[in-house]
Amino acid sequence: MRKQPALLLLLVILLLPALAHTEDSMPRIRVLLKRLALTDRADIQVQGSYTLENGILSAGIQTNARLTFQVHDGHLIVYDGILQLDFGSQVKLIRHAETPDGSLIIGSSQALYPGDLTLRVSGGQIEAVLTINLEDYVLGVIPYEMSPEFPLEALKAQAVCARTYALRAVRSDRTWDVVDTTQDQVFRGLGAPDARVLSAVTQTEGLVGTYRGQLAECYYSASNGGQTETVEHVWPGAEATGLYQRMQDPYDVANPQSLVRKASLSRNGDGMRPELTALLCQYLQPAIRNLGFSAEPDNLQIRGIQGIQLQAPAVSGSLQYTECVLTLTWSGRASSQDAFTDVEDPAIVVVPVFPDLLQALDLSIAGLNNELLSVREEDDRYIIESRRYGHGVGMSQRGAEWMALNGWTFEQILSFYYPGLQLMQSSTLPPVMSTIRPELRDSPAPSASPTPRPTLMPVSNTHPDGSYLASVEGIEDDSTLNLRSEPTQSAPILMRLYKHQQLLVLDTTEDGIWVHVKTDSIEGYCMASFLERLAENE
């Protein structure tokens, strides 16, 4: 039997209309599919009834058709193995009303991309923009901006924020509204829906946040470190609004999953990081020169730390301190051949927190130079803690998680982080909506931050014979690796491991596919192909 071509007979020049397709009443969002990293070729499987059209040429597509789009001399050539059509520099795949659940599978991804798809040639490559119903978009955002394992009320708060952010991003001056990466909100298509995520989206369907009659900005970040930020502090030049206030957030701090980095400084100076010694040597230079000591860090010894204070907040009322004052006792020598000479008077050294101290103590979290530091004294040491992952404006996802775990509703969570926010149905909003202010929209800083992966679990320094350290590396930054109770895909998932998590590998299954691993807090099995063995000194 002769194979039926997927491209059905419709070669028309302004004679026949395209096949009818649905115009959904709910808002639609145009998503630039950057994550797919399309080159000059795109392979697409069609699920449902679609039409290919470019305004002049139109072709009906059978369900389950597999199409290849190839750039040639600036044109998109479409073929299905039998027929070949030239659609010029742009073509649209438009879903028909009779298959409202129609979706596309693009490239090697197994995710579904429901809605219409526009492909255009840009710089010799294929640019793909998906036009998708707002609720489907939110359903595809939530699992990657907030873990599906978060409590339902936190997920509902996230759904409102994601929906509001998307609608506010709608723009008429370009061909897409949002990007599918952390530049806006992570969107990776739709897979098998998680029941809790689905509930969060359906139970808040159409709900958006408004402030003073307009769509709110509803920025959010992973963890604010214990204090929310204002727009004008994070993005200088932005107009202050009452929606964002600098206030304490005890819920973020109370959440044990909020990302924290720590440095321990012994009172007697033992075990000091070489990077910190070098930094202190730099700021002790005047005293070093006056006493005739060598300026080399190897010729400096910190005998003790008598005090550590944080000072100079970035702005009034902020917990973001910019200076660290250390009171030190120290010794120096003129050369490596000389004995160390104790300096009688303690030295007071003022070290900039950003970036000097962060780098010297490895306290940087997201590389934004906006961490909140605190100092805690213990009997024999000082503990410096660094918090905050993301810009800190609006909702803290870790704070929302802790609130929800302690009985807060999504309305209460949103009210805490966005004072004055009002919830409205998107269908009741006026047709012309405000867009994100240009100075914010074009800056990478306001981008919604995905939830940070939980603080990586510690692994003991004592290793049984035959074991070795490995790190989870073979996954994307916003993906996870399943840790299972047994070495099989059908075994229960104990938890999800995040990129760069170190693991102690105890043994490997006979087939080499699975490894038995543990941290100081959990033990299970994961696939060996996603791990990289660490060198002994790491």
Side-chain angles (χ1 to χ4, degrees):
M1 178 181 291
R2 185 176 181 274
K3 179 184 175 184
Q4 178 71 21
L7 299 176
L8 299 179
L9 269 184
L10 293 169
L11 227 221
V12 292
I13 300 181
L14 299 178
L15 294 179
L16 295 176
L19 296 179
H21 60 276
T22 183
E23 289 291 343
D24 297 300
S25 59
M26 72 174 62
R28 288 154 69 90
I29 300 297
R30 298 167 302 165
V31 186
L32 177 62
L33 302 180
K34 207 170 182 180
R35 285 185 54 84
L36 297 177
L38 298 178
T39 59
D40 60 350
R41 171 174 173 156
D43 296 291
I44 297 178
Q45 181 180 347
V46 178
Q47 295 192 350
S49 181
Y50 276 78
T51 296
L52 269 173
E53 60 180 59
N54 65 355
I56 298 176
L57 189 65
S58 183
I61 307 297
Q62 290 182 335
T63 188
N64 295 321
R66 295 177 181 270
L67 306 178
T68 296
F69 297 80
Q70 183 76 51
V71 177
H72 182 69
D73 291 336
H75 285 217
L76 277 167
I77 308 300
V78 187
Y79 62 93
D80 69 343
I82 297 179
L83 296 182
Q84 213 170 272
L85 290 175
D86 183 343
F87 277 88
S89 62
Q90 177 174 301
V91 65
K92 294 183 179 180
L93 274 160
I94 299 179
R95 184 172 60 179
H96 298 164
E98 56 265 31
T99 56
D101 296 328
S103 299
L104 305 170
I105 299 176
I106 307 172
S108 59
S109 170
Q110 294 304 303
L112 300 178
Y113 288 84
D116 302 340
L117 185 70
T118 299
L119 302 176
R120 63 175 57 88
V121 179
S122 176
Q125 307 293 299
I126 295 177
E127 179 184 275
V129 176
L130 179 72
T131 302
I132 182 173
N133 289 336
L134 176 61
E135 298 304 313
D136 287 337
Y137 170 74
V138 175
L139 191 61
V141 165
I142 302 304
Y144 302 105
E145 287 291 349
M146 182 177 276
S147 169
E149 297 173 355
F150 274 37
L152 178 60
E153 293 301 308
L155 291 168
K156 287 161 72 173
Q158 180 67 65
V160 173
C161 290
R163 188 180 293 113
T164 306
Y165 183 96
L167 279 181
R168 191 176 173 88
V170 171
R171 294 177 62 168
S172 60
D173 60 344
R174 64 184 181 195
T175 57
W176 48 271
D177 303 316
V178 294
V179 182
D180 63 347
T181 68
T182 54
Q183 181 177 331
D184 283 303
Q185 300 183 120
V186 177
F187 173 81
R188 300 178 65 178
L190 302 183
D194 179 273
R196 195 178 301 176
V197 171
L198 186 59
S199 293
V201 176
T202 55
Q203 290 182 32
T204 63
E205 183 173 350
L207 273 185
V208 294
T210 63
Y211 184 69
R212 295 177 179 173
Q214 295 186 355
L215 282 168
E217 290 164 331
C218 279
Y219 294 129
Y220 57 90
S221 61
S223 170
N224 59 37
Q227 186 178 60
T228 60
E229 267 299 355
T230 61
V231 171
E232 64 272 20
H233 179 224
V234 174
W235 304 296
E239 180 183 354
T241 70
L243 184 61
Y244 298 108
Q245 301 174 11
R246 182 175 292 107
M247 58 186 183
Q248 306 305 308
D249 183 0
Y251 312 102
D252 183 289
V253 176
N255 191 338
Q257 296 299 331
S258 291
L259 192 57
V260 182
R261 296 185 74 90
K262 299 181 181 181
S264 175
L265 300 182
S266 173
R267 288 181 181 271
N268 62 15
D270 289 347
M272 183 170 290
R273 287 171 57 93
E275 295 88 347
L276 181 59
T277 301
L279 180 65
L280 296 177
C281 182
Q282 174 185 338
Y283 285 95
L284 278 169
Q285 283 302 308
I288 289 173
R289 288 195 299 268
N290 289 340
L291 295 170
F293 294 145
S294 166
E296 294 299 320
D298 288 346
N299 294 321
L300 171 73
Q301 283 186 345
I302 304 300
R303 300 201 320 273
I305 301 176
Q306 296 183 347
I308 299 179
Q309 280 188 318
L310 296 169
Q311 65 180 24
V315 293
S316 178
S318 174
L319 296 179
Q320 186 184 97
Y321 297 104
T322 61
E323 294 179 348
C324 181
V325 182
L326 298 97
T327 303
L328 310 170
T329 56
W330 61 290
S331 304
R333 59 185 180 182
S335 73
S336 59
Q337 308 301 318
D338 298 325
F340 280 95
T341 300
D342 293 343
V343 178
E344 182 176 348
D345 296 328
I348 297 177
V349 178
V350 180
V351 178
V353 170
F354 307 111
D356 296 18
L357 189 69
L358 288 183
Q359 292 177 353
L361 293 178
D362 193 24
L363 290 174
S364 178
I365 294 178
L368 298 178
N369 282 336
N370 68 341
E371 287 84 354
L372 305 185
L373 268 60
S374 61
V375 178
R376 185 175 75 251
E377 291 189 42
E378 295 185 353
D379 291 341
D380 61 344
R381 66 190 61 248
Y382 294 90
I383 305 296
I384 301 180
E385 295 184 341
S386 171
R387 300 173 180 269
R388 181 173 282 173
Y389 191 111
H391 49 65
V393 176
M395 184 177 73
S396 160
Q397 293 167 315
R398 289 299 177 191
E401 178 189 23
W402 194 248
M403 289 173 171
L405 286 170
N406 287 276
W408 287 53
T409 66
F410 81 95
E411 294 98 336
Q412 291 171 323
I413 293 171
L414 293 173
S415 179
F416 175 82
Y417 286 113
Y418 308 101
L421 186 80
Q422 291 186 323
L423 297 179
M424 292 182 61
Q425 280 291 327
S426 56
S427 59
T428 66
L429 293 172
V432 178
M433 302 177 187
S434 60
T435 61
I436 293 177
R437 290 169 287 169
E439 72 272 17
L440 300 186
R441 186 60 182 79
D442 296 334
S443 165
S447 303
S449 303
T451 304
R453 305 322 184 186
T455 304
L456 299 181
M457 295 174 288
V459 178
S460 174
N461 289 326
T462 58
H463 305 159
D465 291 342
S467 65
Y468 62 90
L469 275 178
S471 176
V472 177
E473 301 296 338
I475 59 176
E476 297 186 45
D477 290 339
D478 53 8
S479 186
T480 59
L481 175 64
N482 290 331
L483 181 72
R484 298 183 181 272
S485 60
E486 298 293 337
T488 172
Q489 292 278 21
S490 60
I493 298 173
L494 300 177
M495 72 179 304
R496 291 179 171 88
L497 303 174
Y498 297 94
K499 195 165 185 177
H500 308 315
Q501 171 65 58
Q502 290 191 7
L503 301 167
L504 185 62
V505 179
L506 302 175
D507 55 62
T508 305
T509 58
E510 291 185 4
D511 56 15
I513 297 177
W514 296 86
V515 285
H516 183 196
V517 300
K518 68 172 294 186
T519 68
D520 288 354
S521 55
I522 199 167
E523 185 171 341
Y525 294 84
C526 64
M527 300 188 75
S529 58
F530 295 98
L531 304 186
E532 287 185 11
R533 184 165 182 163
L534 296 176
E536 292 301 321
N537 59 358
E538 295 187 56

